[in-house]
């Protein structure tokens, strides 16, 4: 069920193309059969990533919209939120700050929808001070 329409180089997906797979579709740049460069992947469950890819993984600046309405905007590294970013949850809570390997890590501010604010140092997703 997978289908690729686009540019090729040396028998590989390379350049601009569209790759349709069982769980969604990617439209963007390819290099050596991998998502590489600027692209958009839209999943059948409604999730979507728009941003940069390196060797098939989210890497660089991007926006990931989750199935139930949450959204992360910021830096990615090796497929995870990593660096400066903001994560807005579907209930309205929001974290703005540093991430490492997909978790709150470093300086950040978590603002709850009820107005409560937790600001300071985070480690592995947990508030430290």
């Amino acid at each position: 069920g997978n289908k690729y329409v686009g540019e090729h180089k040396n028998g590989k997906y390379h350049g601009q193309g569209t790759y349709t797979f069982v769980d969604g579709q990617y439209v963007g740049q390819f290099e050596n059969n991998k998502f590489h460069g600027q692209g958009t992947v839209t999943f059948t469950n409604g999730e979507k990533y728009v941003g940069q890819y390196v060797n098939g993984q989210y890497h660089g600046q991007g926006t990931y919209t989750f199935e139930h309405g949450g959204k992360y905007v910021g830096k990615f590294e090796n497929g995870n939120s990593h660096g400066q970013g903001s994560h807005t949850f579907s209930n309205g809570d929001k974290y703005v700050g540093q991430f490492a390997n997909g978790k709150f890590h470093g300086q950040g501010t978590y603002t709850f929808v009820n107005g409560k604010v937790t600001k300071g140092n985070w480690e592995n997703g947990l508030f430290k001070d």
Side-chain angles (χ1 to χ4, degrees):
N2 296 344
K3 179 181 177 184
Y4 174 77
V5 176
E7 299 172 332
H8 292 82
K9 181 179 178 181
N10 298 325
K12 295 184 178 183
Y13 309 156
H14 195 93
Q16 192 66 28
T18 300
Y19 185 76
T20 304
F21 50 97
V22 68
D23 294 332
Q25 183 178 65
Y26 170 82
V27 177
Q29 297 171 311
F30 289 81
E31 186 175 290
N32 293 320
N33 284 342
K34 295 183 180 177
F35 306 164
H36 192 89
Q38 189 66 30
T40 300
V41 65
T42 306
F43 296 100
T44 55
N45 68 359
E47 293 190 357
K48 182 177 186 175
Y49 173 79
V50 178
Q52 298 169 320
Y53 291 81
V54 172
N55 293 320
Q57 295 187 329
Y58 312 146
H59 195 95
Q61 190 66 33
T63 299
Y64 194 100
T65 305
F66 297 92
E67 178 180 8
H68 299 292
K71 182 184 282 191
Y72 172 80
V73 178
K75 298 290 262 179
F76 287 83
E77 185 175 291
N78 299 319
N80 291 308
S81 48
H82 194 91
Q84 185 66 30
S86 67
H87 187 130
T88 304
F89 295 86
S90 58
N91 70 351
D93 289 356
K94 185 174 187 174
Y95 172 84
V96 177
Q98 293 291 311
F99 289 79
N101 300 314
K103 297 180 180 179
F104 309 158
H105 195 88
Q107 290 297 309
T109 302
Y110 193 106
T111 305
F112 294 85
V113 70
N114 67 8
K116 179 183 175 193
V117 175
T118 301
K119 183 176 182 176
N121 191 40
W122 299 77
E123 188 176 307
N124 270 336
L126 302 173
F127 184 67
K128 288 302 203 183
D129 60 41

